[in-house]
Amino acid sequence: MNNIGILKDLLQTYADDIEKNNQLLIALLVFISINFLTTIINIISQHKLKSKDKNIISFKIKEQKRISIFESIYIKLDKMTFLDGRTESEELLQLIQNVEKLISKNKLYIHKKNRKLMYDITDYFKTTLTDYRKKDYSKEIKLFDKLSSNFAK
């Protein structure tokens, strides 16, 4: 009888240990699954952040390029205002051609409205090139103000 009592006690302690092991196993599985889900969420969020960062950097580079191109064109257009069609006609014609080439080469970076305004300014200078008496500083100021305000939008 003694052996059966000891056997019962052993089975009882093993049953308690197995029950504790099952609880520990369940807790371990829950912990592993939470870690797994957290890792998946972290990987997805890191991928999205990298993608967003690339978009921001790309936008910044394009914007800097757009601004530098716009500034160079604006400077050349502004330089034309100081030339009249009478004495510096050759230089004015050269500037008009250079600006139109620059606008045409950089269509990708210049918004359609700005491009149209730039072409309007070059067309105005073409008319002053043919007849220097059509030069009107107030019209030039309006064209440049319109271009400047459109760029600021």
Side-chain angles (χ1 to χ4, degrees):
M1 284 293 224
N2 255 348
N3 289 342
I4 294 179
I6 293 174
L7 189 60
K8 282 184 180 179
D9 287 341
L10 277 174
L11 286 175
Q12 184 65 30
T13 56
Y14 283 131
D16 290 342
D17 287 345
I18 290 173
E19 188 176 320
K20 287 180 184 176
N21 283 343
N22 285 340
Q23 289 174 350
L24 287 174
L25 185 63
I26 290 171
L28 187 62
L29 286 174
V30 168
F31 179 73
I32 289 173
S33 62
I34 289 173
N35 269 343
F36 186 69
L37 285 173
T38 306
T39 304
I40 289 174
I41 290 171
N42 192 13
I43 289 171
I44 291 171
S45 64
Q46 288 296 324
H47 177 69
K48 286 187 178 186
L49 284 173
K50 279 186 179 180
S51 175
K52 190 70 169 174
D53 195 35
K54 285 180 184 177
N55 289 341
I56 290 170
I57 290 170
S58 173
F59 176 77
K60 180 182 173 189
I61 291 170
K62 288 175 188 173
E63 193 67 15
Q64 286 174 339
K65 178 109 173 149
R66 183 182 77 84
I67 290 170
S68 68
I69 289 169
F70 195 91
E71 283 177 344
S72 66
I73 291 172
Y74 190 87
I75 288 169
K76 289 183 181 188
L77 288 172
D78 191 46
K79 190 176 183 181
M80 285 185 220
T81 61
F82 299 110
L83 303 174
D84 60 354
R86 187 175 10 165
T87 56
E88 301 100 352
S89 62
E90 196 64 36
E91 186 179 351
L92 183 59
L93 178 62
Q94 194 69 30
L95 264 172
I96 292 170
Q97 290 173 343
N98 289 340
V99 168
E100 286 184 341
K101 284 179 189 175
L102 193 60
I103 294 169
S104 179
K105 275 197 288 188
N106 295 300
K107 283 182 182 179
L108 187 64
Y109 297 104
I110 303 171
H111 193 268
K112 196 178 239 181
K113 290 180 182 179
N114 290 334
R115 200 175 334 129
K116 184 185 178 319
L117 289 171
M118 289 175 184
Y119 280 128
D120 287 346
I121 292 172
T122 57
D123 289 344
Y124 163 75
F125 283 115
K126 285 178 190 175
T127 59
T128 61
L129 185 63
T130 57
D131 186 8
Y132 65 89
R133 292 173 290 182
K134 290 184 179 179
K135 188 161 182 81
D136 184 13
Y137 289 108
S138 62
K139 185 173 182 177
E140 288 178 20
I141 291 171
K142 286 179 186 175
L143 287 170
F144 278 97
D145 285 345
K146 197 183 279 187
L147 183 62
S148 296
S149 66
N150 208 20
F151 175 74
K153 289 181 183 178

